[in-house]
Amino acid sequence: MLAASRVSALAPQVARFQAVRVAGQRQAALTAVRRRGNVSVRSIQSVAQTDRDTITRLLYSIGTKREVERHLRIFSSSSHPSQPAKFAVIKVGGAVLDQIDELALSLSFLYRVGLYPVVLHGAGPQLNGIIESEGVIPDYIDGIRVTDANTLQIARRVFLEQNLKLVGALEQLGTRARPITSGVFTADYLDKEKYKLVGNITRVDKRPIEAAIRAGALPILTSLAETPDGQILNVNADIAAGELAKELEPMKIVFLNEKGGMFHGVTGEKLDVINLDEEYEQLMKEPWVKYGTKLKLREFKELLDHLPRSSSVAVISADHLQRELFTDSGAGTLIRRGYRLFKHNSIESVGADRFRQVIHDRDPEVQSGVSSVTSVLSSLQKTPYTIYGDEPLDAVAIVTHPEGEVPIMTKLLASRSGVLNNVIDNVFNAIKKDHRKLFWTAKVDDDNRSWHFERADGSFTRAGKSLFWYGVQDVAEVQRIVKDFEAKGRLERAYLPVGPSAPPQQPFPGATRSYSTLARRQVPSGSRGYATAVTPQPTSTEPKRLALIGARGYTGQALATLLSSHPYINLTHVSSRQLAGYPLQGYTKSSITHSNLSVEDVERMEKDGEVDAWVMALPNGVCKPFVDAIDRGAKVRSSGESSVIVDLSADYRFESGWKYGLPELYGRDGIRKSKRISNPGCYATSTQLLIAPLLKYVKHASGPTVFGISGYSGAGTVTGTSDAEGRPTTVPKVTPESLAGGFRPYSLTDHIHEREAGRHLSSLLADPTNPIKVAFIPSVAPWFSGIISTLSVPLSEKVTARDVKGLYEEKYSGEKLIHVQAGVPGLSDIENKHGWTVGGFQVHSEGDRAVVVGGLDNLLKGAATQCLQNLNLTLGYDEYDGIPV
């Protein structure tokens, strides 16, 4: 009840926030008119970022900070510029439209944190009201509205009115919304004789939806469809939402109704979760499941059978939407396919290979090198145990339970899907049914730390490690159990509330030595990155103007989107030969139309001081005439100062007069002082960040080899066919279809990034005159963006995997855009992320070769994000202004 009241309380807070924000905008505009030329902008911030931060803080009132941020992170990473509609489909029942203000606030919440649901609404009650007022009784057959020409005419009018009503309510809150009342659904007659003008959807065109999202607007759809020859047909909104979800395959499908969920027909209690694979057949036999409930369950099952298992359906009221999406407990009814749970007393019953893979991929001790898969499996042979889990192993737990002793959950390993879909809760509940008492451990940096506290009756934390338990209320009993664990070595001493650890030579009998008893080697020292050695610089808040040359490609689009959230840099010109005359999409700070700037235009603009910085997002070999024009214009500029140029191509990466802009390796001061910056290549960025911490230990005669796999966006773009509005489209040079599900190696020798990485890394050597030679083999893969680079490097002296990980942690300590992790980075760790992630540290058994894996999004840290870092530094801003960190 308290949680529910908190959610409801968010609405007036948001309303007040919106009112203040709008009033503030008006005042700022008035001040600017009065004080043109000397306006103080120190207090001006990015409205979009302020909105996101404010709404995120408000969300903390409905759930823990960790769970809110985890769900935000998962949802934010679900969509991509190539597939922007992957977050959620929200079907709004007609009755919910009568609560238009509450609905608009809930949708505006999502918009303010950067999430774009696809909204489809019905209008049944409104349509019935009008029809009945005209003396016509609505006619239904099999629950389907019989729609004659007169009914359809009224339906079209009602749908349009309700659609514009919702769009207007959103726009009043400052949330951009686009009405889409046709062009998405193609249909044939369901049964013309029986139902008349009712459609059966045969095709969904998602292009109008994706275009709305790319333009920064929420798409608001009706369920009307058209036949191929243009006849409008009525389609049940639930059916239309289902077909839409099958096409988009979103993470969430939400059905908003006025009841706020589905309810048990006998007890009247709300059903929290329905696992269809386990419960569907039994539910359909229940006497209280009939009519509409039976139809809904059948539709939900048929829908989810067509979608990935990570998809789920939620039935919820509009005022509890945030709680359903951003908390683990939810608020409505969650329907998912689910899996039957198992519990086995042997690894073989689970499947030895599958079980080993789970340990290898998820166990943090294995990933960090503290333990191994073999040692984990060997320890299980020493005591009775039970393995709990679900069929796809999205959540796996191991509970050891020697006869007459308190059980310990030694492992709890869940995938992202296992956490998001609450499979981990199902597994834990199965354990609770079998064991009245349980102890388990977790580290303080565990992403699901709040989950442990919520399910424990007590806990003890020391030195970054926590011990949890349930079923024991008496402190004296806890102390007795802990002493028993210590005496028998059942838990690592570091987790126990006992005295100092035993010396390293006296580990616990029959147990792996705890963290506090590990004898650590001295990690070889590496070069400290500039980021931790530079004195903090004062930052500017003066607005600057930016021109982007080459805005059609993916990198130009990504940079324009980033600049929308920059507090001080304003994009004033975008140039594209193909898109000249068309509005720029994805940039929300102002309305900009593409131009086609010539070399002469650029020279004139530089001479007149129209911009403060230029970004060249052009293909290799095309940039020089524009740079020369800027140089000519700067010579006759009245101020005598040149504008800044950041070049994203390879044209100036080998020029001594240009500063190579990789701040994490080659310093910030040089970039701050330079006005000519060459942005590193995407592959080259990952390659250099991979090799740099190991430079001192590279066997020079052999040299490192990097194998890189990039999404197909890295291969560039070409102009495609025009869209429905006549606008030229951008399509990839290499399509995923052409790769046939595999990947394609190319440029097997002498790739330009070999030379680029070798040249700049050599400047970090003690003897730069003896340069390092880098071997690089690239491949293109059928995903959109993201580079995974694997480094294999011969070593001049023996080190351990832990030593290698320590080198990276030391080298990149304090770097906001670099994440060092134990496990091998996967695509989900890098796609749509603004930084570089490294992990999977391994050393050959002979200690003479290290393998490390790093990854980044080629359009972000590999291009646009790094460009913005360089712009911020050279223009005097904070390095991370406008970059989500």
Side-chain angles (χ1 to χ4, degrees), residues 683-699:
Y683 273 129
T685 295
S686 190
T687 296
Q688 291 171 84
L689 290 171
L690 268 175
I691 296 172
L694 293 171
L695 270 179
K696 184 178 178 181
Y697 304 95
V698 172
K699 196 171 184 177

Side-chain angles (χ1 to χ4, degrees), residues 682-683 706-715 734 739 742-749 751 753 776-790 858:
C682 50
Y683 273 129
V706 175
F707 176 73
I709 305 179
S710 172
Y712 61 84
S713 63
V734 177
L739 298 172
F743 64 88
R744 181 186 303 157
Y746 65 97
S747 297
L748 302 183
T749 61
H751 192 287
H753 289 319
F776 173 66
I777 306 101
S779 294
V780 62
W783 59 76
F784 180 72
S785 70
I787 286 175
I788 297 176
S789 304
T790 303
N858 51 289

Side-chain angles (χ1 to χ4, degrees), residues 89-98 100 103 107 118-126 155-167 170 178-181 185 219-224 234-241 244 254 256:
V89 168
I90 297 180
K91 186 267 175 177
V92 180
V96 178
L97 290 173
D98 292 334
I100 192 75
L103 173 63
L107 296 177
V118 179
V119 181
L120 183 144
H121 67 82
Q126 293 84 355
R156 289 184 63 189
R157 186 176 80 241
V158 171
F159 271 122
L160 181 60
E161 289 173 353
Q162 296 300 317
N163 188 276
L164 294 179
K165 181 180 175 183
L166 177 54
V167 169
L170 289 167
R178 178 176 292 184
I180 303 177
T181 57
F185 300 112
I220 312 297
L221 284 69
T222 68
S223 60
L224 293 176
N234 187 25
V235 177
N236 177 274
D238 286 349
I239 300 295
L244 188 61
V254 179
L256 295 182

Side-chain angles (χ1 to χ4, degrees), residues 23 29 41 46 182 228 247 257 410 536 667 731 745 813:
V41 297
S46 163
S182 63
E247 176 65 27
N257 67 15
T410 59
V731 297
S813 173

Side-chain angles (χ1 to χ4, degrees), residues 34-68:
R34 291 174 176 170
R35 298 173 58 198
R36 188 181 304 275
N38 64 344
V39 181
S40 172
V41 297
R42 182 173 298 275
S43 62
I44 299 176
Q45 296 179 338
S46 163
V47 171
Q49 186 62 41
T50 302
D51 282 1
R52 182 184 175 95
D53 292 344
T54 302
I55 299 299
T56 300
R57 286 194 294 271
L58 290 175
L59 284 172
Y60 294 159
S61 67
I62 64 172
T64 67
K65 181 177 180 180
R66 280 179 179 265
E67 64 183 324
V68 167

